[in-house]
């Protein structure tokens, strides 16, 4: 009941979901992203960047449409630093005001997906696009670079990088690197790579370290998650 496709905004994904009868709670893993959401029950929301898994419990039949923005793009679209949304679900009206939220809700009543993409694209244009530092930091940390190396490449001292990262991603570069490593590791595991090899290939000290990290971030051990 879940589908996703490119959204037509660089790095963004448009996803849809309908909750079936008898569905178990959904465990949404941290990924460094911010989502602009429409729910048939709850209306327009923003899901901020999570540090640990968010367990979503929804009634049968509820429909969701989400625009998942790439790491660091949220502030340009939403108009607030990502750290202000960390680990939170916030009504769009609280960020954009009642009138703007009402206009978006009216458009979403006809086509939620189109309304979310058009609203985000317009706000990105008004902001001049996302901070280019976001993509560079995400790519480097996602490839396994150290925080020190990323800061040096960006021409920033580590504390300045930490401040910029909190604004862009909602947390510092070490936390972002940990989350991106988890995503890399799980992608390998889902492709059938043995967990010991996953740990070695993604920079964990050993499989026990990988297991602890998954439990800390996802709330369950790797075997249960997979």
């Amino acid at each position: 009941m879940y589908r996703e496709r490119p959204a037509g905004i660089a790095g963004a994904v448009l996803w849809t979901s309908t909750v079936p009868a008898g569905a178990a709670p959904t465990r949404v893993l941290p990924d460094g992203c911010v989502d602009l959401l429409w729910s048939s029950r709850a209306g327009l929301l923003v899901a901020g960047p999570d540090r640990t898994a968010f367990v979503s419990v929804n009634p049968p039949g509820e429909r969701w449409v989400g625009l998942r923005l790439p790491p660091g793009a949220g502030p340009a679209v939403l108009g607030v630093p990502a750290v202000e949304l960390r680990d939170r679900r916030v009504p769009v009206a609280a960020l954009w005001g009642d009138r703007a939220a009402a206009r978006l809700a009216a458009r979403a009543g006809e086509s939620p997906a189109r309304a979310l993409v058009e609203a985000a694209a317009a706000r990105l244009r008004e902001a001049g696009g996302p901070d280019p530092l976001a993509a560079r930091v995400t790519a480097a940390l996602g490839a396994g670079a150290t925080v020190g190396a990323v800061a040096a490449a960006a021409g920033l001292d580590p504390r300045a990088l930490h401040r910029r990262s909190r604004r862009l991603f909602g947390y510092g570069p070490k936390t972002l690197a940990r989350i991106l490593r988890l995503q890399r590791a799980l992608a390998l595991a889902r492709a059938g790579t043995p967990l010991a090899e996953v740990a070695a290939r993604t920079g964990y000290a050993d499989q026990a370290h990988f297991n602890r990290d998954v439990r800390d971030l996802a709330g369950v051990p790797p075997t249960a998650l997979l």
Side-chain angles (χ1 to χ4, degrees):
M1 305 298 285
Y2 175 90
R3 294 179 176 85
E4 63 179 44
R5 60 181 173 83
I9 296 172
V13 172
L14 187 68
W15 59 267
T16 59
S17 176
T18 301
V19 182
T26 302
R27 188 175 298 275
V28 183
L29 301 183
D31 56 7
C33 299
V34 171
D35 287 51
L36 182 60
L37 306 170
W38 174 88
S39 158
S40 61
R41 179 181 63 89
L44 294 165
L45 303 167
V46 170
D50 291 320
R51 288 175 291 183
T52 58
F54 176 80
V55 179
S56 178
V57 181
N58 302 294
E62 183 172 11
R63 293 184 298 125
W64 286 90
V65 178
L67 177 64
R68 184 179 306 125
L69 299 167
V77 172
L78 301 173
V80 297
V83 70
E84 295 185 14
L85 303 172
R86 188 177 63 196
D87 300 326
R88 299 176 63 198
R89 271 60 185 160
V90 180
V92 167
L95 302 177
W96 294 354
D98 292 337
R99 293 179 63 183
R103 288 195 297 269
L104 179 57
R107 297 200 303 274
E110 299 178 3
S111 174
R114 180 177 177 181
L116 296 182
V117 171
E118 288 181 350
R123 293 183 68 92
L124 268 176
R125 287 193 298 270
E126 292 171 6
D131 186 333
L133 178 67
R136 297 201 303 269
V137 169
T138 302
L141 293 177
T146 65
V147 172
V150 172
L156 299 170
D157 65 61
R159 282 188 289 186
L161 177 63
H162 186 83
R163 289 193 299 270
R164 295 279 294 276
S165 293
R166 279 170 55 85
R167 175 175 177 79
L168 291 170
F169 310 114
Y171 25 65
K174 288 185 179 179
T175 299
L176 178 62
R178 192 179 177 208
I179 288 169
L180 295 176
R181 179 171 63 176
L182 173 70
Q183 292 289 338
R184 291 200 313 275
L186 291 177
L188 286 172
R190 290 183 182 120
T193 305
L195 295 185
E197 184 179 344
V198 167
R201 289 174 60 179
T202 51
Y204 292 96
D206 50 30
Q207 187 176 337
H209 180 204
F210 170 56
N211 291 348
R212 288 194 303 272
D213 220 42
V214 172
R215 188 182 290 273
D216 286 348
L217 293 171
V220 294
T223 50
L225 185 63
L226 294 169

